[in-house]
């Protein structure tokens, strides 16, 4: 088909029917531009108001007669709107369209280019416009417009509308993050004041606790979840020649904090959680009644430890549980006990374990000794010969002595636990006295032997 050769025509010479076509195009363009300016003005107004993502999505859906949604990086629907249907139905419709074979590629390209992109309508698949929602340099989500009407906005203007709406969504998300961060800082400051006992009096502690939702009518325990990350590999060592990013450790800590907070929130929603440099502190309530379905502090700690072992197997985690507290002013004492417990577990090398302060017993005193070698030396002086005899002859004298002490020096009760005759226990006790030179019927010797056993049990008998 030949293309007609149009020659210039003066305004007075142009036929009337030729004047109508450009005029109609110009009217449509003007109407589209007016609508575009109106949408921009409305969107800017939403950014200045206390609007949320749902308000932006509804506005774009109404103006474009399209299904509009905000998706996370994991393709979850944060909010959605479509003409004439509920938000739930709109979300369901969006999830059906997420199976588009090229949508993932477009989302990635949109994130990398930081621009709105369009998937054209092909076959039974509708046209889709994707725009990245930017918060600083991060793209936490995307604004998606599905099957926009072309009767008013053309393709280019539909891209502009979606892109501008995504910018407004970024402003709203950024504002929400600032507000959430400020609220978190206030909350952390209140928790910090309670944990460290910074209140001037009990009234301060009670007021701070009330703001955090602490119930002074119930018993609580402070749980300290302490963790250590493995050292980063050297810059030019190992399999990878690239140096580790300096923010890797901070990012890993952040992931551990978030995982613990999410875990505790799902298992103990009433708990107060605060993340610190290398620990997360949880103030959790004691279940009421013998048949309470809620986890107590020890159960919560054990479950959390198991979850962290799955998610972060390289991290060294220990969990300490402080004593029971009820009055808000007692929280600092329980936290100090929980910290002493984690410090004890770390010093003993018991990574991946949970212990309560009450479990430590005499270790609370013994581990105040700065040098653990001094403790081992003391144990070796008292029970070294017996330990050597145990290794050489498999005599089970140390086991018998520990059981004998636990059963208050009763050969009969010790024999039932050891599954031997009482005379066997009596004979072993006599041999222990001969080997060590101790007299176990003497209070001082018995105390020395018990302390030495505690040291061996905690630190082992290796020099």
């Amino acid at each position: 088909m030949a293309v007609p050769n149009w020659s210039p025509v003066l305004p007075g010479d142009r036929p009337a029917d030729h004047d109508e076509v450009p005029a109609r195009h110009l009217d449509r363009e003007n109407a589209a531009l007016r609508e575009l300016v109106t949408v921009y003005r409305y969107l800017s107004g939403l950014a200045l108001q206390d609007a949320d993502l749902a308000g932006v999505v509804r506005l774009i859906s109404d103006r474009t007669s399209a299904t509009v949604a905000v998706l996370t990086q994991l393709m979850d629907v944060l909010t959605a709107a479509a003409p004439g249907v509920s938000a739930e139905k709109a979300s369901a419709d969006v999830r059906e369209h997420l199976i588009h074979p090229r949508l993932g590629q477009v989302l990635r390209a949109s994130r990398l280019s930081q621009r709105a992109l369009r998937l054209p309508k092909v076959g039974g698949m509708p046209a889709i416009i994707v725009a990245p929602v930017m918060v600083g340099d991060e793209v936490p989500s995307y604004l998606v417009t599905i099957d926009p009407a072309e009767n008013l906005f053309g393709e280019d203007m539909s891209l502009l509308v979606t892109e501008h709406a995504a910018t407004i969504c970024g402003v709203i998300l950024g504002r929400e993050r600032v507000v959430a961060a400020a609220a978190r800082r206030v909350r952390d400051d209140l928790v910090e004041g309670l944990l460290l006992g910074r209140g001037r009096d009990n009234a301060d502690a009670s007021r701070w606790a009330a703001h955090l939702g602490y119930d002074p009518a119930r018993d609580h325990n402070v749980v300290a979840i302490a963790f250590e990350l493995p050292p980063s590999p050297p810059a030019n060592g190992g399999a990878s020649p690239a140096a580790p990013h300096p923010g890797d450790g901070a990012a890993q800590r952040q992931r551990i904090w978030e995982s613990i907070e999410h875990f505790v929130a799902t298992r103990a929603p009433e708990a107060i959680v605060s993340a610190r440099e290398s620990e997360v502190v949880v103030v959790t309530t004691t279940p009421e009644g013998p048949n309470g379905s809620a986890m107590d502090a020890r159960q919560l700690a054990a479950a959390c430890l198991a979850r962290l072992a799955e998610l972060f197997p390289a991290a060294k985690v220990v969990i300490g549980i402080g004593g029971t507290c009820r009055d808000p002013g007692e929280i600092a004492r329980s936290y100090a006990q929980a910290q002493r417990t984690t410090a004890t577990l770390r010093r003993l090398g018991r990574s991946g374990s949970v212990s309560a302060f009450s479990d430590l017993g005499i270790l609370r005193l013994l581990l105040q000794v700065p040098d653990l070698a001094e403790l081992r030396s003391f144990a070796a002086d008292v029970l070294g010969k017996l330990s050597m005899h145990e290794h050489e002859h498999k005599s089970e004298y140390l086991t018998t002595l520990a059981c004998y002490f636990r059963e208050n020096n009763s050969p009969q009760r010790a024999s039932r636990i050891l599954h031997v005759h009482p005379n066997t226990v009596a004979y072993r006790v006599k041999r222990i006295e001969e080997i060590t030179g101790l007299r176990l019927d003497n209070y001082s010797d018995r105390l020395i032997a018990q302390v030495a056993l505690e040291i061996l049990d905690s630190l082992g008998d290796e020099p």
Side-chain angles (χ1 to χ4, degrees):
M1 176 178 179
V3 178
N5 183 17
W6 295 99
S7 59
V9 180
L10 296 177
D13 298 333
R14 186 180 298 276
D17 58 342
H18 285 192
D19 288 337
E20 293 177 3
V21 175
R24 287 198 297 271
H25 284 306
L26 185 59
D27 289 343
R28 282 197 296 270
E29 288 179 2
N30 287 337
L33 287 172
R34 285 195 296 272
E35 179 67 9
L36 185 64
V37 171
T38 301
V39 172
Y40 270 43
R41 188 170 64 248
Y42 284 162
L43 287 171
S44 300
L46 289 177
L48 296 175
Q49 301 168 8
D50 190 19
D52 56 8
L53 295 179
V56 176
V57 166
R58 283 195 300 270
L59 173 64
I60 302 303
S61 176
D62 292 341
R63 290 288 175 170
T64 61
S65 300
T67 299
V68 184
V70 176
L71 305 180
T72 68
Q73 289 279 11
L74 299 177
M75 306 285 278
D76 293 326
V77 180
L78 289 180
T79 183
V85 300
S86 65
E88 291 76 12
K89 179 62 168 61
S91 297
D93 292 341
V94 170
R95 293 187 186 96
E96 292 181 4
H97 292 299
L98 294 182
I99 61 174
H100 195 294
R102 294 183 56 198
L103 182 58
Q105 300 174 11
V106 175
L107 290 175
R108 182 175 181 275
S110 175
R111 174 172 55 83
L112 295 177
S113 65
Q114 299 183 3
R115 295 182 56 189
L117 299 176
R118 178 185 179 89
L119 264 174
K121 184 176 183 178
V122 178
M125 303 300 295
I128 298 178
I129 299 175
V130 175
V133 176
M134 303 286 298
V135 180
D137 295 330
E138 183 186 355
V139 181
S141 55
Y142 302 91
L143 183 68
V144 177
T145 303
I146 301 173
D147 202 15
E150 302 293 351
N151 56 350
L152 181 56
F153 291 118
E155 291 185 7
D156 291 340
M157 288 192 179
S158 294
L159 283 171
L160 289 174
V161 169
T162 303
E163 197 165 49
H164 188 62
T167 301
I168 301 303
C169 288
V171 171
I172 293 173
L173 282 179
R175 184 175 63 217
E176 290 176 351
R177 286 190 175 188
V178 169
V179 172
R184 185 185 183 91
R185 281 195 297 270
V186 172
R187 179 183 177 85
D188 286 345
D189 288 344
L190 291 175
V191 176
E192 188 88 356
L194 287 174
L195 295 179
L196 302 181
R198 289 178 177 168
R200 293 185 298 271
D201 51 36
N202 285 338
D204 281 345
S206 297
R207 186 167 59 254
W208 298 344
H211 284 304
L212 295 168
Y214 184 88
D215 184 1
R218 298 182 61 182
D219 290 336
H220 295 72
N221 292 94
V222 178
V223 180
I225 306 169
F227 57 88
E228 292 180 358
L229 299 175
S232 300
N236 296 319
S240 175
H245 192 278
D248 286 351
Q252 182 83 336
R253 280 194 298 273
Q254 182 68 29
R255 288 194 291 271
I256 294 177
W257 291 337
E258 292 174 353
S259 298
I260 295 174
E261 290 179 338
H262 177 72
F263 181 87
V264 174
T266 56
R267 287 354 186 247
E270 297 180 355
I272 300 169
V273 185
S274 178
R276 311 188 75 198
E277 179 62 24
S278 293
E279 69 175 359
V280 176
V281 182
V282 181
V283 183
T284 182
T285 55
T286 301
E288 294 180 321
N291 298 321
S293 58
M295 290 183 172
D296 62 21
R298 197 182 294 268
Q299 292 170 331
L300 180 66
C304 184
L305 184 69
R307 182 58 176 161
L308 291 176
E310 295 176 1
L311 298 176
F312 309 98
K316 296 181 179 179
V317 183
V318 293
I319 302 180
I321 304 171
T324 302
C325 57
R326 176 169 290 209
D327 186 270
E330 299 173 345
I331 294 176
R333 172 185 55 79
S334 182
Y335 174 57
Q337 293 173 347
Q339 276 200 317
R340 284 182 61 186
T341 305
T342 58
T344 298
L345 294 176
R346 279 177 164 172
R347 199 171 181 202
L348 295 175
R350 296 182 182 176
S351 177
S353 60
V354 176
S355 182
F357 184 71
S358 57
D359 299 336
L360 298 181
I362 197 172
L363 289 177
R364 290 155 51 182
L365 300 177
L366 294 178
L367 292 180
Q368 299 302 308
V369 176
D371 188 359
L372 295 183
E374 288 293 331
L375 293 177
R376 285 197 172 97
S377 176
F378 172 82
D381 290 343
V382 177
L383 297 178
K385 294 180 180 178
L386 191 65
S387 179
M388 187 179 299
H389 192 280
E390 179 102 356
H391 284 302
E392 292 177 354
H393 302 285
K394 310 297 181 184
S395 53
E396 298 186 5
Y397 285 162
L398 285 173
T399 303
T400 301
L401 182 61
C403 185
Y404 179 71
F405 283 149
R406 282 197 300 269
E407 297 304 317
N408 295 320
N409 303 342
S410 170
Q412 289 75 21
R413 288 197 296 270
S415 67
R416 288 196 291 270
I417 294 174
L418 296 172
H419 304 291
V420 296
H421 195 276
N423 290 342
T424 302
V425 175
Y427 170 77
R428 289 178 181 177
V429 169
K430 182 179 179 181
R431 285 290 296 143
I432 289 169
E433 291 180 327
E434 293 173 353
I435 294 171
T436 62
L438 298 171
R439 292 184 55 192
L440 297 183
D441 58 349
N442 177 276
Y443 168 78
S444 179
D445 284 4
R446 191 167 60 248
L447 177 60
I448 289 173
Q450 287 178 307
V451 171
L453 275 175
E454 289 288 345
I455 295 172
L456 291 178
D457 183 56
S458 302
L459 306 181
D461 57 354
E462 294 295 330

